[in-house]
Amino acid sequence: MTFSTADLHDEHEGKVQVANVLMQSFGRKTSFSGPISTVKCFEDNSLVRAALEEPGNGRVLVVDGGASIRCALVGDKLAELGIKNGWEGLVINGCIRDTAVISTLDTGIKALGANPRRSVKQGKGERDIPLVFGDATFKPGDYLYADEDGILLSPVKLF
């Protein structure tokens, strides 16, 4: 279904949050939405992989990488894994890599930017906890709507 975050915001003003973080769009999908699942990690994408290995069931994985731009938390292989397992999209408060390949994939990814360096794999981080960045709280089970204008969060499904 096609939607506009600007229209959704106007229609539900006061009931939704806007994530005030400037992110670039990657992947072929310019808009995506779904219930939120979260990972909090810092320069270690082990839990990101573990999440994307699970059935996504149309969810959006939100990863708070502490806004680090020193390495990538997602590359083409993880993006493809997410697609294969039914994840609707990814929001990364950090970087991705393999952007040329990701640009051809049928997924939506929002991230701060790109970095060719891979992350470490030490199994550190937390899953499905509320995340706070961009003046917004990303709660597991709430709904995320992302398009070219930005990211909108709602405690209930908007359509």
Side-chain angles (χ1 to χ4, degrees):
M1 173 174 266
T2 304
F3 63 89
S4 158
T5 56
D7 291 345
L8 287 174
H9 180 270
D10 292 351
E11 191 175 324
H12 301 281
E13 192 166 3
K15 299 175 186 170
V16 295
Q17 295 180 72
V18 175
N20 295 316
V21 59
L22 295 176
M23 291 195 166
Q24 298 178 47
S25 291
F26 300 92
R28 284 192 3 222
K29 283 187 182 177
T30 57
S31 64
F32 56 94
S33 64
I36 295 170
S37 183
T38 67
V39 169
K40 183 173 183 151
C41 59
F42 187 75
E43 298 179 2
D44 180 341
N45 73 349
S46 303
L47 294 183
V48 176
R49 173 178 286 284
L52 294 174
E53 287 174 339
E54 299 173 358
N57 300 317
R59 291 178 292 166
V60 175
L61 184 62
V62 178
V63 180
D64 184 359
S68 174
I69 58 170
R70 295 188 300 205
C71 69
L73 295 174
V74 171
D76 59 343
K77 290 180 178 63
L78 289 186
E80 288 171 344
L81 182 63
I83 294 166
K84 176 184 153 204
N85 289 327
W87 289 87
E88 185 64 22
L90 305 168
V91 173
I92 312 291
N93 186 24
C95 288
I96 68 166
R97 67 186 205 162
D98 303 312
T99 60
V101 174
I102 288 174
S103 72
T104 69
L105 300 178
D106 192 26
T107 190
I109 298 177
K110 294 275 194 184
L112 297 179
N115 188 314
R117 182 180 297 126
R118 65 180 169 199
S119 77
V120 299
K121 281 113 175 90
Q122 298 175 338
K124 295 181 179 177
E126 297 177 85
R127 285 277 313 269
D128 289 318
I129 62 167
L131 303 176
V132 179
F133 63 89
D135 301 326
T137 302
F138 298 79
K139 295 178 185 170
D142 281 4
Y143 288 81
L144 183 145
Y145 300 86
D147 67 5
E148 299 91 337
D149 289 334
I151 299 169
L152 195 69
L153 306 170
S154 173
V156 297
K157 189 173 182 177
L158 298 179
F159 61 86

